[in-house]
């Protein structure tokens, strides 16, 4: 058992030495109608973003990244977002961490690097009704 633990540690250290990012946490907060998803990584991210339909979602692929100890899917239930899920896969001999943000309604979105994190901001096209806004606060 000790041998396996040491080997896993060596493999993880080798991955980090190759410049792989490690996603360790996903935080979600709502401010008014806007939802912010913060994907916390270990180094400056390189990513691709796109929007898909059926079901409506924003997808962020973080290149050369692994996922460690992140709950998925994460039930969110804000005005704009129903859940956030993460998935790790390999493509063209590299590891990609995928973040999928499921939308409740049509939204504009902005995705930016913020140091070693990826910040996803979603703003619904339709504002929350006044009575629902009072319940959310």
């Amino acid at each position: 058992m000790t041998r396996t633990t040491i080997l896993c540690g060596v493999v993880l250290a080798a991955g980090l030495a190759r410049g792989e990012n490690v996603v360790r946490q996903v935080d979600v907060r709502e401010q008014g109608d806007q939802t912010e998803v913060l994907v916390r990584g270990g180094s400056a991210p390189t990513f691709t973003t796109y929007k898909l339909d059926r079901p409506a979602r924003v997808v962020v692929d973080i290149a050369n990244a692994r996922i460690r100890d992140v709950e998925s899917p994460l039930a969110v239930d804000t005005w704009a977002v129903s859940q956030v899920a993460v998935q790790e896969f390999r493509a063209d001999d590299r590891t990609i961490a995928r973040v999928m943000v499921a939308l409740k309604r049509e939204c504009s979105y902005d995705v930016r690097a913020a140091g070693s994190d990826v910040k996803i901001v979603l703003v619904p096209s339709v504002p929350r009704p006044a009575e629902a806004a009072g319940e959310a606060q």
Side-chain angles (χ1 to χ4, degrees):
M1 176 114 44
T2 303
R3 185 177 185 180
T4 304
T5 302
I6 293 169
L7 180 59
C8 289
V10 169
V11 170
L12 181 58
L16 293 175
R18 286 194 312 260
E20 284 184 335
N21 197 347
V22 178
V23 173
R24 295 195 181 276
Q25 187 173 343
V26 175
D27 296 322
V28 180
R29 69 180 183 159
E30 185 175 34
Q31 292 185 312
D33 293 343
Q34 177 177 298
T35 301
E36 179 182 300
V37 178
L38 190 61
V39 182
R40 299 195 180 271
S43 61
T46 300
F47 57 89
T48 303
T49 304
Y50 49 97
K51 190 173 181 183
L52 297 173
D53 294 321
R54 297 186 202 114
R57 63 206 180 278
V58 172
V59 179
V60 179
D61 286 343
I62 305 170
N64 300 316
R66 294 190 176 275
I67 299 168
R68 293 285 181 261
D69 304 322
V70 177
E71 179 184 341
S72 182
L74 179 63
V76 175
D77 197 26
T78 68
W79 180 245
V81 175
S82 59
Q83 75 175 12
V84 177
V86 294
Q87 175 185 21
E88 180 182 309
F89 65 96
R90 290 192 64 78
D92 298 327
D93 202 33
R94 59 190 179 124
T95 306
I96 297 172
R98 175 168 286 170
V99 180
M100 298 161 285
V101 181
L103 304 177
K104 283 185 168 180
R105 49 196 37 85
E106 184 63 34
C107 291
S108 62
Y109 63 95
D110 181 55
V111 182
R112 297 174 190 251
S116 60
D117 303 333
V118 175
K119 183 177 180 180
I120 308 164
V121 178
L122 302 116
V123 180
S125 331
V126 176
R128 180 190 321 254
E131 63 274 3
E135 292 173 8
Q137 295 175 1

